[in-house]
Amino acid sequence: MEWRLTKIWEETFRLRPIGVTDSFFDLGGHSLLAVQLFDRIAQATGKELPVSVLYQAQTIQSLAELLRRQDWTPPWDSLVPLRPLGNRPPLFLAPPGSTTVLRFNPLVRQLDADWPVYGLAYRGLDGQAEAHDRMEEMAAYHLAEIRKLQPRGPYFLAGICFVVG
């Protein structure tokens, strides 16, 4: 599995050699590469994984471990730990429209290392969970998820919004 994944990573990044312990993000990985990578992995293995798995398994080695597990199914969780460790209250980031939280990786690298950061993933991007129909539903859902992690405020929220007109 590691050998197959290494070949896929090298083709996707157009970079050789890539080691099994090299991090996707340290190699310069971003959301477009992640989509290409996971499409190639699905074609090669028959297993479709959500892009958010990269925060759990950032290396070929850890991704191969997940793919070898027959019973593993990707969990749906709207809180994606971009950097879960730190002593400050967490920062919650919302991406625009139907994009993924991967776009925040450069920002997270610039923030104080003691600041935990979570992305708010939108339901339905994985093709499995049903998307919210209304903004109020989505906001209530995300608030409930945030409160599971941090029951009391203050809450630090940030996001990107754009209007196409």
Side-chain angles (χ1 to χ4, degrees):
M1 183 62 73
E2 280 89 350
W3 182 83
R4 285 197 319 185
L5 289 177
T6 299
K7 295 300 171 202
I8 292 169
W9 281 47
E10 288 175 347
E11 289 170 11
T12 304
F13 279 96
R14 295 185 178 120
L15 177 68
R16 286 186 175 79
I18 294 178
V20 296
T21 59
D22 290 338
S23 166
F24 175 84
F25 300 107
D26 290 344
L27 291 169
H30 52 76
S31 58
L32 292 177
L33 278 179
V35 170
Q36 293 172 7
L37 179 70
F38 278 71
D39 183 53
R40 288 178 174 163
I41 290 171
Q43 290 175 17
T45 66
K47 290 191 177 185
E48 293 195 25
L49 303 172
V51 173
S52 62
V53 164
L54 280 172
Y55 287 99
Q56 297 173 23
Q58 297 181 16
T59 66
I60 292 169
Q61 185 176 46
S62 57
L63 198 53
E65 288 175 26
L66 286 182
L67 288 167
R68 277 195 290 268
R69 290 176 39 197
Q70 296 297 324
D71 62 338
W72 186 83
T73 56
W76 175 255
D77 192 350
S78 68
L79 288 182
V80 178
L82 304 177
R83 186 176 54 218
L85 303 176
N87 295 317
R88 298 175 65 177
L91 172 62
F92 300 97
L93 300 172
S98 60
T99 62
T100 70
V101 298
L102 290 177
R103 73 175 320 137
F104 289 120
N105 211 45
L107 170 66
V108 172
R109 285 192 204 130
Q110 298 300 314
L111 296 174
D112 181 16
D114 195 34
W115 200 348
V117 183
Y118 291 84
L120 298 172
Y122 297 117
R123 288 179 56 116
L125 291 180
D126 63 353
Q128 308 281 324
E130 190 175 324
H132 291 109
D133 292 330
R134 297 179 15 244
M135 182 65 77
E136 295 85 0
E137 278 179 12
M138 183 175 55
Y141 178 77
H142 285 304
L143 182 57
E145 292 292 300
I146 288 170
R147 285 185 172 156
K148 285 180 191 174
L149 181 73
Q150 182 187 346
R152 298 191 199 314
Y155 298 105
F156 297 97
L157 303 167
I160 302 171
C161 181
F162 60 90
V163 177
V164 177

